[in-house]
């Protein structure tokens, strides 16, 4: 009898908590933000393919591929290379089945089929979305990117603090399964680097681009880091400036002028 009573108490509590969470204002607002972000165009693939034409790219590298049908296979470039340890997609049909750290270490030591003097024209960093790892991926990429080339970062513009949580696997935040991770922090940091220029296209969860060359619309943040503690609320208030958030369509027009 006690057992049955406890069962119904648990059931009632599950319903009450579930209902209050589901109707919570943060949940509703965040769900709206996810819908709005998903509606933005173009997607990363269009942007990458366009940047490939801008520099007449011969060598493309993608770090973090998952299902290649979603992006990698749609990239139009003469030579394409892919790196992924195969955490999220069992088949993992990539060239280099390893983490980006191992890939760059082996590339540096000439332990791969491609040689250490290779220059990539476009590198798409879309592996582990934790700022510390993204920073390493950017630093390594800078050694192998052509002087005119583009380093592209996915997921740089989290719509809410929940989208930029550190733990991907926690699906019960208001952002549910949508996840930017903390990639934005790496972009924001590198936006202060001398000799680097950047922009973030306001679509597909934020497509950040870093280059050694100052393309139209690309800029650098001068002076000390304003958002010293990398707080989401500060990003949210200043995201246009801190990320150099631009519409891709406007940027194409700027490039043509
Ligand atoms: C967001 S998915 C990539 C999506 C893909 N680029 C696209 O545009 O559809 C992230 C991928 O990064 C991979 N990954 C995780 N940690 C990594 C690491 N340290 N180095 C390289 N790839 C990593 C995962 O296995 C996963 O397949």
């Amino acid at each position: 009898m006690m057992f049955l009573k406890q069962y119904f108490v648990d059931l009632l509590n599950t319903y009450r908590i579930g209902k209050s969470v589901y109707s919570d204002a943060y949940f509703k607002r965040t769900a709206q933000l996810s819908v709005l972000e998903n509606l933005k165009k173009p997607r990363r693939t269009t942007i990458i393919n366009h940047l490939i034409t801008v520099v007449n790219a011969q060598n493309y590298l993608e770090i973090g591929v998952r299902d290649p049908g979603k992006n990698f296979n749609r990239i139009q470039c003469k030579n394409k290379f892919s790196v992924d340890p195969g955490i999220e997609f069992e088949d993992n049909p990539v060239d280099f089945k390893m983490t980006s750290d191992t890939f760059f270490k082996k590339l540096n030591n000439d332990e791969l089929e491609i040689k250490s003097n290779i220059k990539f024209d476009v590198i798409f960093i879309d592996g582990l979305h934790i700022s510390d790892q993204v920073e390493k991926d950017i630093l390594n990429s800078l050694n192998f990117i052509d002087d005119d080339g583009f380093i592209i970062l996915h997921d740089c513009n989290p719509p809410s603090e929940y989208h930029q949580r550190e733990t991907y696997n926690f699906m019960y935040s208001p952002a549910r399964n949508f996840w930017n991770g903390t990639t934005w922090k790496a972009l924001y940091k590198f936006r202060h680097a001398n000799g680097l220029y950047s922009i973030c296209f306001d679509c597909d969860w934020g497509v950040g681009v870093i280059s050694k060359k100052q393309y139209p619309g690309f800029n650098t943040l001068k002076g000390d880091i304003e958002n010293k503690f990398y707080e989401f609320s500060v990003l949210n208030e200043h995201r246009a400036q801190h990320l150099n958030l631009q519409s891709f369509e406007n940027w194409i027009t700027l490039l043509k002028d």
Side-chain angles (χ1 to χ4, degrees), residues 17-243:
I17 294 168
K19 193 173 171 223
S20 62
V21 167
Y22 202 65
S23 54
D24 178 86
Y26 287 101
F27 260 77
K28 286 187 172 165
R29 176 74 190 130
T30 308
Q32 273 173 355
L33 289 173
S34 294
V35 170
L36 289 176
E37 189 62 36
N38 256 332
L39 288 173
K40 291 182 187 172
K41 294 273 178 323
R43 310 300 289 185
R44 58 196 177 285
T45 314
T46 306
I47 295 176
I48 297 169
N49 276 327
H50 188 84
L51 294 179
I52 282 173
T53 64
V54 169
V55 289
N56 189 20
Q58 303 295 299
N59 293 331
Y60 168 78
L61 171 68
E62 184 163 324
I63 296 170
V65 176
R66 196 162 56 200
D67 177 355
K70 296 278 194 291
N71 180 70
F72 186 79
N73 292 349
R74 300 177 188 186
I75 297 302
Q76 286 149 13
C77 188
K78 187 169 171 221
N79 306 310
K80 302 196 292 178
F81 305 94
S82 48
V83 177
D84 199 306
I87 297 165
E88 295 179 32
F89 192 67
E90 214 178 315
D91 282 3
N92 199 30
V94 297
D95 300 303
F96 304 104
K97 296 179 202 300
M98 55 188 77
T99 64
S100 49
D101 285 351
T102 306
F103 168 77
F104 282 115
K105 194 170 164 210
K106 284 178 179 283
L107 185 56
N108 267 313
N109 295 341
D110 263 326
E111 294 169 8
L112 301 173
E113 301 88 271
I114 48 175
K115 294 291 152 223
S116 59
N117 62 358
I118 191 168
K119 289 289 176 207
F120 299 102
D121 305 288
V122 174
I123 300 179
F124 181 35
I125 298 176
D126 196 15
L128 182 60
H129 286 28
I130 295 296
S131 50
D132 182 49
Q133 182 61 52
V134 181
E135 177 178 35
K136 281 195 266 177
D137 289 343
I138 296 172
L139 285 171
N140 280 320
S141 296
L142 284 169
N143 293 327
F144 293 98
I145 195 76
D146 186 81
D147 284 346
D148 292 346
F150 296 112
I151 297 172
I152 305 172
L153 312 164
H154 194 214
D155 288 313
C156 292
N157 186 28
S160 80
E161 63 183 289
Y162 309 106
H163 292 89
Q164 55 103 62
R165 69 192 181 278
E166 286 177 25
T167 312
Y168 168 69
N169 285 335
F170 183 63
M171 305 280 173
Y172 300 107
S173 90
R176 307 299 291 267
N177 60 323
F178 293 109
W179 191 60
N180 287 76
T182 50
T183 307
W184 72 268
K185 297 181 185 181
L187 174 63
Y188 178 61
K189 185 171 178 182
F190 277 87
R191 282 195 31 70
H192 296 80
N194 281 332
L196 293 180
Y197 306 93
S198 49
I199 195 165
C200 183
F201 296 118
D202 186 8
C203 53
D204 202 348
W205 307 91
V207 181
V209 187
I210 299 175
S211 178
K212 292 176 182 172
K213 177 174 165 180
Q214 187 163 23
Y215 285 94
F218 282 49
N219 65 20
T220 308
L221 282 169
K222 301 286 178 214
D224 293 339
I225 292 190
E226 187 185 331
N227 189 0
K228 278 199 299 247
F229 297 104
Y230 292 80
E231 306 281 14
F232 176 78
S233 57
V234 179
L235 168 75
N236 203 26
E237 199 177 329
H238 302 282
R239 66 172 77 223
Q241 186 212 356
H242 284 193
L243 299 180

